[in-house]
Amino acid sequence: MLLLASLVVVSGATASPRSDNLVSKAVQALGGESALANAKTVAVKGTVRQWEPEQSVMPGGDMRLTNDSTFEIVVDYGARASRTDVVKNFVYPFPRTYTFSEIVTPDAGYVAGIDSMGRTKQSMESNPPAHAMSGLRLATTQREMRRASPMMFLDMLRNSDRVSDAPDITVGGVSYPAVNYTANSQTFIVAFDPQTNLPARIRTLDYDNVWGDVNYDLVLSDWRPMAGRQVATSQRYQLNGRTITERKIIDVQTNVPVAADRLMIPAEVKASAPKPATSAVPYQWVIRRQFHGFYLDSDNPSFDVRATSGLRLSEIGPGIQQVVGGLHNSLIVEMKDHLVAFDAPVTDWQSNWTLDAAKQKFGAKPVKYLVLTHHHMDHVGGLRAFAAQGATIVVGKGAGEHFRRVLAAPYRRNPNLPAARDLSGTPILEVADKHVLTDGQREVALYIAENPHSHAMLIGYLPAERLGFVTDLWNPGPPLGATLNPNQAAVVATVKRFGITPLKFAGGHGSTADYSTLAALEGK
Ligand SMILES: [Zn+2]
């Protein structure tokens, strides 16, 4: 027992003169211990621009700008509470503005107003709209507030047991000395500018459902004196070196009075509000689904835990099951001795669920083909679970190289799949224009659909059943508008181009609908 205890101490975080020195110099460069400690409240104003790399038009292509926003944060350090008022101007997938506020306390989070198209039951039933943050969002928001706060350095200075040596981080040929800082079971790697001693880069080692093990960095620059200390007025967030968020700080005030009610979560919401999640937080999913305003604020990323008991199979026809119950659907088609699946939404958790459900429904038939309609992160994030059980990945022409790189990326931090298999050799089939998967009886046809949403987009079609499968271009089920939008028009054009005659479509979103309802809008 004694031996074990001493081993734990040795392998745990140990402060060193080197790391202590880096921290104390950084605190000095930031304005000194007392300047930080004397701030009881802080108010910060700024702007934010965000880009989503995995909503690009081309697979692996340029990121899409998703929003251009402003924010005002107030933090009461004594109350350990913050309020962020946001005006978020989205440009993707369509222009809209959300004005909302987030209140974050140590054990609950609250959103007043509408902040997403993927609203939860609690938000829909609340008047005015409001909801408790999920434990996943609360833990993520707390982590990101900690990362961006200068109080991190005060905490490091005063708790050197939370700091340990880390290898230097080298960026652009410059070597930055670094330390590990662990608080609330979250570890940051903090790198310092060797010239100014100021913090330069604050890194976490995250898991991304597309790119696997990733570095997520806050890069600090353009330091200016504000409110008695140095402030990084340029704050860029980088995912594996690509800037996906650009934040500019315009104004900082300390010790402004903050009315207590501005930081208060209504008692009736707080009563059932989840505590911050403590394990397997899909940080990148939570952060980036908010970029374009489609985040579903739920403790299961796949479905609203307050609205439904979970995912379920919905039978569309003999041997044809749609996975529904969440925001993102997939489709399973039974063949003679195997299965064909369409899309692998969200995470490998959802894929594991789908593979289990398929096994119960269809016995030991393996998924031989996973057809990915397009490369966007919300429809492919669970591809590894299918690849790991031997599926061939089927994609549109031009997407193969992208998925080869995705499948070659390490995924040791995947919370849902042991990284036991090297997936880099996964077979990938590219569909140039049309391809038919067949077992000699049932046919599953795949067609390229030219459209504005995504290059290399596939539409599925079962000719005998006259059933199509479409993702994102048209969400079958919800009411249609008075005219076709460009994506819906692309579905109609594809149907015509290939001369197919669908009766019904099942969707990667929505449910199913008669094709005639869509076709009727042509020319209107
Ligand atoms: Zn998409």
Side-chain angles (χ1 to χ4, degrees), residues 139-340:
T140 303
T141 310
Q142 288 173 340
R143 184 184 83 162
E144 294 311 319
M145 295 205 65
R146 187 168 294 124
R147 189 199 300 260
S149 170
M151 293 304 165
M152 171 192 278
F153 298 93
L154 197 59
D155 193 56
M156 289 163 93
L157 186 74
R158 292 176 171 179
N159 302 280
S160 64
D161 59 317
R162 297 177 186 172
V163 181
S164 64
D165 285 342
D168 290 4
I169 290 180
T170 303
V171 181
V174 179
S175 190
Y176 297 84
V179 302
N180 294 313
Y181 166 63
T182 303
N184 279 37
S185 71
Q186 294 158 344
T187 296
F188 300 92
I189 303 165
V190 183
F192 300 91
D193 184 327
Q195 243 79 63
T196 63
N197 300 325
L198 287 162
R201 190 174 286 262
I202 305 174
R203 171 171 293 177
T204 51
L205 304 177
D206 284 2
Y207 182 73
D208 174 63
N209 63 354
V210 173
W211 288 108
D213 299 342
V214 291
N215 292 331
Y216 188 54
D217 291 0
L218 168 58
V219 184
L220 303 168
S221 62
D222 293 348
W223 291 87
R224 283 175 214 164
M226 283 178 164
R229 61 176 163 88
Q230 290 294 315
V231 173
T233 59
S234 167
Q235 306 186 350
R236 282 172 297 140
Y237 288 82
Q238 295 184 341
L239 185 71
N240 274 357
R242 291 171 95 183
T243 298
I244 58 170
T245 291
E246 233 177 50
R247 187 160 54 190
K248 300 273 180 219
I249 304 299
I250 294 166
D251 187 54
V252 177
Q253 311 269 341
T254 49
N255 296 327
V256 290
V258 180
D261 65 340
R262 296 200 71 220
L263 301 176
M264 209 111 84
I265 298 175
E268 70 275 15
V269 176
K270 197 169 180 175
S272 66
K275 301 276 180 283
T278 53
S279 67
V281 179
Y283 293 108
Q284 286 303 318
W285 178 263
V286 177
I287 291 168
R288 285 163 48 211
R289 291 297 288 172
Q290 296 182 52
F291 280 19
H292 56 325
F294 276 80
Y295 176 58
L296 176 70
D297 195 356
S298 166
D299 274 314
N300 188 309
S302 289
F303 61 89
D304 182 358
V305 294
R306 291 186 193 242
T308 141
S309 55
L311 302 176
R312 62 181 196 280
L313 293 179
S314 167
E315 184 163 292
I316 294 181
I320 307 169
Q321 299 282 339
Q322 189 178 21
V323 177
V324 297
L327 273 191
H328 301 79
N329 309 326
S330 55
L331 189 77
I332 311 164
V333 181
E334 184 183 26
M335 310 294 274
K336 207 182 334 182
D337 61 357
H338 65 272
L339 306 173
V340 175

Side-chain angles (χ1 to χ4, degrees), residues 54-55 64 92 374 376 378-379 453-454 457 471-472 509:
E54 300 313 319
Q55 292 290 338
R64 263 175 164 138
Y92 176 83
H374 67 304
H376 290 169
D378 51 328
H379 299 285
H453 182 72
S454 167
M457 172 72 86
T471 297
D472 283 359
H509 296 285

